[in-house]
Amino acid sequence: MKNSKIHITFALITFLLNVDFGISQDFSYADLAEDKPDSVRLKAYTKIAESFIETNKDSALYYIDEGVKLCDQFEKANQLSKEDPDLYYRCGKHFMAKGYFYYRNKKPNEALRGFKKAEKIFHKLKNNKYEAECLNNSAVILASLSNNAEAIIDYHKALNLFRKLNDSIGSAYALNNLSRIYRDQDDIGQAIKLIEESLELSKAKDAEMVEALALNGYAGLQKTIGDTAKALRLYEKSLSLRKSLSDRAGMASVLNNIGSLYKQQRKYEEALDHFQRSREIAEEVNNKIGVGHTLYNQGEVYFQLSDLYRAEQRGKEALKIGEETENVTLLSRSAELLMNVYKLSNKWKSAFKMQTLKMEMDSKMINAETKQVAQREALKYEFEKQRAIDRKEEEQVIKLQNERAERQKVIYLAIGIVTLLLIALLFFVIQRLRTAKQQNRLITKQSNERKMMLQEIHHRVKNNFQIVSSLLRLQSYSIENETLRQSFEEAVSRINSMSIVHDIIYRQKTFSDIDSKEYLEKLVENLKRSSGNPKIAIEIDAQKPKLKIETLIHLGIALNELIINSFKYAFTEEQNDPKIRIFLTEIGENEYRLLYQDNGIGINKEIDKSSFGMELIQTLIEHLEGSVSIDSESPWNTTITIKFKDV
């Protein structure tokens, strides 16, 4: 069933977001001129951006950003609150284009922000068609990010609008995905009710793609309640529709589901036949994860047939694909299969290794918590929906906003606690590393084993940092307060600067000292990619001094603050050649100097010496028995000199 769910989500996202923009040459670059009406200029930015989405990513991004700047200017100037619905509508369409662009470039958080902004605009304009489309696309992205609670809310809103518009196909898609979410919550009765309604609507409108998705989901539900005969008939109907639509990826998914059904019935020959056909098609369409799951299923069948050799081979192939794709589910299932094979083969060491891998993968799977959150939010939605009927819309909106603010405070507090625990874990790991170095001098025979252990520790620490970073980023897009959201982004950046140290350590052979130039390059590259301006040139000149881990962590966080500060405040749009220069050199025995310079507007405008950032830098450098001085010298309007020791 997991395979079918993956494919349903993938197919739906592809269908909804693989939009034919209907671009016609009803614009010209001359429409961008300042003397043109605002709505004409904005329409031109949108159309030009859409024309480049498939062909030129950089050009599309440029026109997307320029259009967003226009909308921001209109909003700040209070133009969007005046009686100019066409301009407001154009801003909504532009933010939709932004959502499509970022989704196609695999940046779901940015895509979600675009659709959410557009949704608010169309809601104020009472444009039900585009509001429903934005809600539906937001729900698809939220579901792909495993945020089922928010996805349910947006699907219900979209469904209500589709019904108002008599849009049967849109309603069928929303019902289909709602059914999948309720099935994940084990509310099978509600899931069946929703999928039957979706199937009825899709048949009435001859919408074969929607019908194929609904049949696949309906079959899975019948399998869940034990009616395997009906499930098989539904799968066969879905497969027939997929063939008529030449949907090869869909065919592979349904064949895999049918094979799983035969495996459950112990009809192993039929199961192997369908798994093999599914695997061949998945390989043809380059669906690695699909190939991995069919390999695992084949391995399970061979295990049931006591063909341990083939079971082991299929399990190893599936495990390899799981590692390549970093698919936790596939890794867990493949490890379990191989563990069972090795147990019967009396390969206890290999069995223990697979058992350890399975336990590690299982710990990463979020299931019960997601179900509980989705159930609570679904019930809350129904309650608030009924309450909205009895109260004025304005009063209800205010109440919902207050409740959302309280939840954000709780979540923020929880994330803060987790961050403190991880920082404590970081210092604990550093302490352990010092101890490990002393022990390695005495026990040379065990050096290789300890190196492997230290690599694993750093790998885990790096992964923990990435988990915290992902949680912070995921939370940031739901926060409307810009100051609070910026605080989240800064926290993510500081955590990433620490994570890079451990990533470098994990990939090298020695742990005592780290190549500072490599670290600086990775840190700058990460910052520039995530929050920098591509026009800003950053020069790094380091003599590759080998520094300790603790030193680089302090230095990295300090440099992180300086670079982000320059990105935010140093450079104006009129500046033609923005530059940042970082120079690291050894000036004495165990004494070093870091010179940070930019040619921006100058230190007096871009930073307050009493700010949190500068206080943080001063504190960090004091730990290194160092000092910080601020100056300026032509052509560098800002020069910050940091002297420190590798303590």
Side-chain angles (χ1 to χ4, degrees), residues 529-544:
R529 181 174 62 251
S530 61
S531 60
N533 186 333
K535 296 180 180 179
I536 299 174
I538 302 180
E539 176 188 351
I540 300 175
D541 187 357
Q543 299 176 355
K544 293 189 176 182

Side-chain angles (χ1 to χ4, degrees), residues 95-145:
F95 279 108
M96 282 185 71
K98 175 184 176 181
Y100 288 121
F101 170 78
Y102 278 111
Y103 185 83
R104 287 171 180 244
N105 286 280
K106 299 180 180 180
K107 293 185 177 181
N109 291 344
E110 289 297 326
L112 192 61
R113 291 192 184 100
F115 286 126
K116 285 293 185 183
K117 183 72 173 180
E119 172 208 329
K120 291 179 181 178
I121 292 173
F122 291 125
H123 178 74
K124 290 182 180 179
L125 292 173
K126 297 183 179 180
N127 188 319
N128 292 342
K129 176 184 175 182
Y130 286 120
E131 183 185 358
E133 183 177 339
C134 290
L135 283 165
N136 211 40
N137 288 345
S138 296
V140 170
I141 296 172
L142 286 165
S144 73
L145 295 172

Side-chain angles (χ1 to χ4, degrees), residues 271-479:
L272 286 172
D273 175 62
H274 283 81
F275 287 143
Q276 183 61 29
R277 290 162 61 191
S278 173
R279 175 184 171 184
E280 290 171 356
I281 296 174
E283 288 174 342
E284 176 187 326
V285 299
N286 197 29
N287 180 2
K288 280 192 173 183
I289 295 177
V291 173
H293 282 292
T294 54
L295 283 166
Y296 161 76
N297 283 326
Q298 286 179 319
E300 271 208 330
V301 173
Y302 284 126
F303 182 78
Q304 294 297 327
L305 293 171
S306 298
D307 188 343
L308 298 184
Y309 174 77
R310 291 186 179 180
E312 180 182 0
Q313 293 304 311
R314 297 298 187 276
K316 285 181 177 179
E317 292 180 63
L319 188 67
K320 182 179 179 182
I321 292 176
E323 291 171 345
E324 292 174 353
T325 59
E326 297 182 357
N327 187 287
V328 176
T329 302
L330 183 56
L331 283 168
S332 175
R333 300 174 78 189
S334 303
E336 183 178 15
L337 171 62
L338 289 170
M339 177 185 71
N340 292 330
V341 170
Y342 291 139
K343 282 182 179 179
L344 290 182
S345 303
N346 293 324
K347 298 178 180 178
W348 300 108
K349 185 176 180 180
S350 297
F352 176 74
K353 181 179 179 181
M354 290 299 103
Q355 183 180 25
T356 302
L357 177 60
K358 173 177 169 51
M359 292 173 63
E360 183 181 344
M361 294 302 105
D362 288 347
S363 68
K364 295 181 180 180
M365 294 182 184
I366 302 173
N367 39 40
E369 183 178 353
T370 301
K371 291 180 182 179
Q372 292 172 1
V373 171
Q375 288 171 343
R376 288 196 301 268
E377 292 296 330
L379 293 174
K380 182 178 179 181
Y381 168 79
E382 292 298 328
F383 171 76
E384 292 180 347
K385 175 183 175 183
Q386 184 62 39
R387 186 171 59 180
I389 297 174
D390 303 323
R391 295 187 179 184
K392 293 180 180 180
E393 180 180 355
E394 183 176 356
E395 293 175 344
Q396 183 60 33
V397 169
I398 292 173
K399 185 174 181 64
L400 289 173
Q401 288 176 343
N402 290 336
E403 290 176 351
R404 189 178 296 111
E406 288 301 318
R407 289 198 301 270
Q408 288 175 348
K409 289 179 182 178
V410 174
I411 293 171
Y412 182 72
L413 178 61
I415 292 176
I417 293 172
V418 172
T419 303
L420 289 174
L421 290 174
L422 284 173
I423 292 174
L425 176 62
L426 171 64
F427 284 105
F428 171 75
V429 171
I430 292 173
Q431 198 65 31
R432 290 292 301 273
L433 284 174
R434 287 175 175 170
T435 303
K437 282 199 301 183
Q438 295 173 357
Q439 291 176 344
N440 282 340
R441 294 190 187 102
L442 302 175
I443 313 174
T444 57
K445 291 183 181 180
Q446 299 179 359
S447 61
N448 291 332
E449 181 180 352
R450 296 193 180 190
K451 285 178 183 178
M452 292 177 63
M453 179 189 71
L454 289 173
Q455 282 182 323
E456 179 65 19
I457 290 173
H458 284 291
H459 185 50
R460 288 176 181 268
V461 171
K462 183 197 75 172
N463 288 345
N464 287 338
F465 277 129
Q466 289 176 344
I467 290 171
V468 173
S469 176
S470 298
L471 286 173
L472 290 172
R473 286 193 184 279
L474 183 61
Q475 183 60 31
S476 68
Y477 68 68
S478 65
I479 295 176

Side-chain angles (χ1 to χ4, degrees), residues 24-28 31-32 37-50 67 70-71 74 86-87 89-91 93-94:
S24 58
Q25 295 299 324
D26 58 344
F27 66 88
S28 69
D31 291 335
L32 301 176
D38 291 335
S39 60
V40 172
R41 293 169 60 210
L42 188 54
K43 178 182 178 181
Y45 274 121
T46 305
K47 290 292 184 179
I48 295 172
E50 289 174 347
L70 266 184
C71 289
F74 300 151
D86 187 51
L87 180 60
Y89 169 82
R90 289 297 166 195
C91 280
K93 292 288 287 183
H94 192 80

Side-chain angles (χ1 to χ4, degrees), residues 176-193:
N176 186 72
N177 276 334
L178 272 171
S179 172
R180 178 179 57 81
I181 293 177
Y182 279 110
R183 179 182 61 189
D184 291 344
Q185 297 175 174
D186 294 329
D187 190 347
I188 304 301
Q190 182 67 10
I192 291 177
K193 179 181 177 182

